[in-house]
């Protein structure tokens, strides 16, 4: 299973980001292989940045999203 995590940093020790659209990074965690991929977000506040993040999550074929606020 692939899990997308909105993050303030580039590793699993980083703080989880408060908002999907304003998150600086998206961590893609494969729960089976325990691999972690890092994607820098295309952050453009006010220009549909949340939907851009959703597009990234879909493109990476994630099964689950962990975030505090959408």
């Amino acid at each position: 299973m692939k899990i997308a995590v909105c993050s303030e940093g580039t590793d699993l020790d980083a703080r989880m980001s408060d908002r999907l659209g304003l998150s600086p990074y998206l961590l893609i965690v494969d729960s089976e292989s325990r691999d972690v991929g890092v994607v820098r977000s295309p952050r453009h506040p006010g220009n549909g940045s949340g939907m851009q993040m959703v597009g990234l999550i879909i493109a990476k074929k994630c099964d689950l999203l962990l975030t505090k606020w959408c």
Side-chain angles (χ1 to χ4, degrees), residues 30-43:
D30 188 321
S31 64
E32 294 172 13
S33 68
R34 298 187 183 203
D35 288 336
V36 177
V38 179
V39 178
R40 186 160 183 80
S41 95
R43 232 164 94 173

Side-chain angles (χ1 to χ4, degrees), residues 17-28:
S17 184
D18 290 334
R19 296 183 64 185
L20 175 65
L22 299 177
S23 175
Y25 298 98
L26 190 63
L27 302 181
I28 309 297

Side-chain angles (χ1 to χ4, degrees), residues 37-55:
V38 179
V39 178
R40 186 160 183 80
S41 95
R43 232 164 94 173
H44 303 291
N47 294 330
S49 59
M51 291 308 294
Q52 291 175 6
M53 290 293 278
V54 169

